[in-house]
Amino acid sequence: MSEIKSVESWRNNIKRVLITEEEIKEAIKKAGKEISDSYDGRPILLVSILKGAFVFMADLCRAITVPCEIGFMCAKSYYSGTVSSGIVQITMDLDQDVSNYHVIIVEDIIDTGRTLNDVADLLRARNPLSLRIVTLLDKPSRRLVDIKADITLFTIEDLFVIGYGLDCGEMYRNLPYIAEFEENK
């Protein structure tokens, strides 16, 4: 009985669907075409920032119709409660030498921009042929550093969102859509 109650509680945290599965698929198709058209015949390395961007990365790389490689990084911010200290540690780095690639950072959401800014600076220092950023979601109202994506699929308000790789306490990543999260009352 406790498992059923737990699942019901899990569903109760979904306040509303913001972006449907179909809307995500259509936006990824367009982004994949833009990337394919821009980089045809040039070496591409898609770099996913784990964990949140892994679902987006999987679908985006399948939407790209020219050869590309993938790599993964994991960056962690130290937190004091719910506020980031702004200190970013790379806990998993790339295997590839980025100087041989046009690097595209694949991000799930740009919020304050601190982590992404640090990752982008680190990769730029490694002299890629070029560096671009593609993000599934952008929350410009929360930005604390001056960073923008080259391709943004959706711009959202300052809401806590889950689904399509985004989590709350490691849960909800498997939702096929983006939803607003609401704490149980």
Side-chain angles (χ1 to χ4, degrees):
M1 214 38 151
S2 64
E3 286 182 24
I4 294 171
K5 189 174 183 182
S6 170
V7 170
E8 189 57 37
S9 172
W10 187 77
R11 287 189 182 119
N12 287 339
N13 290 125
I14 300 169
K15 182 174 182 179
R16 65 186 166 122
V17 174
L18 296 175
I19 305 166
T20 68
E21 183 176 3
E22 285 307 312
E23 290 171 319
I24 294 169
K25 285 180 183 178
E26 189 59 35
I28 288 173
K29 185 178 172 183
K30 287 179 186 175
K33 181 174 178 6
E34 182 178 336
I35 291 167
S36 299
D37 291 348
S38 298
Y39 292 95
D40 191 11
R42 300 191 288 164
I44 305 170
L45 176 63
L46 302 175
V47 177
S48 175
I49 309 301
L50 293 174
K51 294 181 187 174
F54 82 100
V55 175
F56 178 38
M57 169 77 125
D59 288 343
L60 181 63
C61 77
R62 286 190 299 252
I64 295 171
T65 59
V66 297
C68 62
E69 292 184 35
I70 62 170
F72 296 93
M73 294 181 76
C74 190
K76 180 169 105 177
S77 295
Y78 288 92
Y79 292 88
S80 168
T82 59
V83 179
S84 172
S85 68
I87 300 169
V88 177
Q89 178 187 21
I90 303 300
T91 58
M92 185 175 97
D93 208 342
L94 292 172
D95 295 329
Q96 296 92 335
D97 173 2
V98 301
S99 67
N100 299 314
Y101 296 95
H102 294 277
V103 173
I104 301 172
I105 298 173
V106 179
E107 182 65 294
D108 56 350
I109 187 167
I110 305 175
D111 194 300
T112 65
R114 286 178 174 162
T115 301
L116 179 60
N117 191 61
D118 285 0
V119 169
D121 285 349
L122 175 69
L123 292 175
R124 272 189 209 96
R126 295 176 182 176
N127 301 311
L129 299 173
S130 67
L131 186 121
R132 292 180 75 196
I133 298 167
V134 59
T135 188
L136 176 65
L137 302 172
D138 188 11
K139 270 196 231 182
S141 65
R142 298 259 310 145
R143 199 76 77 248
L144 296 177
V145 297
D146 185 23
I147 191 162
K148 292 182 178 126
D150 298 284
I151 301 172
T152 299
L153 278 62
F154 302 97
T155 300
I156 63 170
E157 299 172 30
D158 184 12
L159 303 169
F160 191 88
V161 293
I162 53 174
Y164 201 74
L166 295 150
D167 75 302
C168 180
E170 296 298 324
M171 300 293 289
Y172 304 99
R173 291 187 195 278
N174 59 317
L175 296 174
Y177 49 79
I178 304 293
E180 181 179 0
F181 179 82
E182 181 174 57
E183 288 283 346
N184 281 339
K185 294 182 173 139

